[in-house]
Amino acid sequence: MLELLDNFFRFGGIASCLFTAALIYRDGRCTLSGKLGIICCLNVALWLFIYTPGLYEALGPFMMSLSFMCQVGPIIIWLFCLSLFDDAFELTPYHYAFGGGFLVVELLLQYSVVNSTGQTLLSSPAEAYIMVGATGPGAVFLGLLVQMFKIAIALHLCYAAWSVRNDDLVEERRRFRSVFVMFVAISFVWMVALESYMLGHGAGAASN
């Protein structure tokens, strides 16, 4: 039953992401926001796909390249959300530097785990963070650094959406800002708390 529900929601989500990407490509592919939206939808679809149970065993090392593509997910979501609230949004060196720093930390984390255990972080999201916690203090530090990046993304999104809400001339978008800020804050707090708990759980299991 659980496997049936997993398949229903997983592949339903993938189909929804691909359909949304097709709609954005049709109507907004010439804008930066549209391009970021397409990449965001494809990234979420890929993330859902690579964590399909049993897929890692089937594809083996090839999954590493797919995993690397998913590492940019938080950065793409960040940039896409920023573009929704700024009609004149453009990518700046600051965006590239922050995104590059996030990717470097993610890759160092992957290398640390593979070098210590011979395993990748592709079994499942929960097992991945427990594995990081069990690898050693260096991997735990990198894992916490990833969490700090995600917290910074959440705080910046909330600030960008809330700080200029009264200057937004589009009434529907101005009302949506409050809902968006609340959703982002709750989602990131829940995600970071859960991942930090799993890091601590893995570190505790390794020390016993």
Side-chain angles (χ1 to χ4, degrees):
M1 183 61 181
L2 288 178
E3 183 177 355
L4 178 62
L5 290 175
D6 178 84
N7 289 333
F8 176 78
F9 287 108
R10 181 184 304 276
F11 292 106
I14 292 173
S16 297
C17 288
L18 295 178
F19 182 69
T20 303
L23 291 179
I24 298 175
Y25 178 81
R26 185 192 66 182
D27 299 331
R29 63 181 181 274
C30 296
T31 65
L32 178 59
S33 180
K35 294 173 183 176
L36 290 171
I38 293 171
I39 297 173
C40 184
C41 290
L42 294 178
N43 188 272
V44 173
L46 180 61
W47 188 88
L48 290 170
F49 174 72
I50 69 169
Y51 282 114
T52 302
L55 189 63
Y56 172 62
E57 291 77 7
L59 297 182
F62 177 70
M63 291 289 285
M64 287 298 295
S65 59
L66 297 179
S67 174
F68 176 76
M69 297 178 190
C70 288
Q71 304 304 320
V72 301
I75 300 301
I76 295 299
I77 294 173
W78 171 54
L79 296 176
F80 174 59
C81 291
L82 290 178
S83 71
L84 293 178
F85 295 113
D86 186 357
D87 295 330
F89 177 78
E90 293 182 355
L91 295 177
T92 65
Y94 162 76
H95 296 122
Y96 288 111
F98 186 88
F102 178 81
L103 286 178
V104 167
V105 174
E106 282 277 16
L107 290 176
L108 287 175
L109 180 59
Q110 289 274 358
Y111 174 78
S112 176
V113 173
V114 172
N115 188 53
S116 299
T117 67
Q119 302 180 53
T120 63
L121 301 179
L122 295 173
S123 50
S124 74
E127 292 177 11
Y129 278 95
I130 292 176
M131 190 187 302
V132 168
T135 298
V140 171
F141 172 76
L142 290 172
L144 292 175
L145 198 55
V146 169
Q147 304 311 310
M148 296 304 296
F149 269 98
K150 293 179 179 179
I151 291 173
I153 289 174
L155 292 177
H156 186 252
L157 282 178
C158 291
Y159 172 78
W162 190 258
S163 61
V164 293
R165 66 189 184 283
N166 293 328
D167 299 329
D168 197 337
L169 299 179
V170 182
E171 177 64 25
E172 291 80 5
R173 190 168 62 184
R174 185 164 59 247
R175 289 198 302 265
F176 176 69
R177 286 175 184 266
S178 300
V179 178
F180 176 82
V181 168
M182 186 179 301
F183 174 77
V184 169
I186 294 175
S187 298
F188 270 87
V189 166
W190 175 81
M191 180 177 65
V192 171
L194 180 61
E195 292 177 352
S196 299
Y197 167 78
M198 289 187 291
L199 279 172
H201 179 74
S207 62
N208 293 334

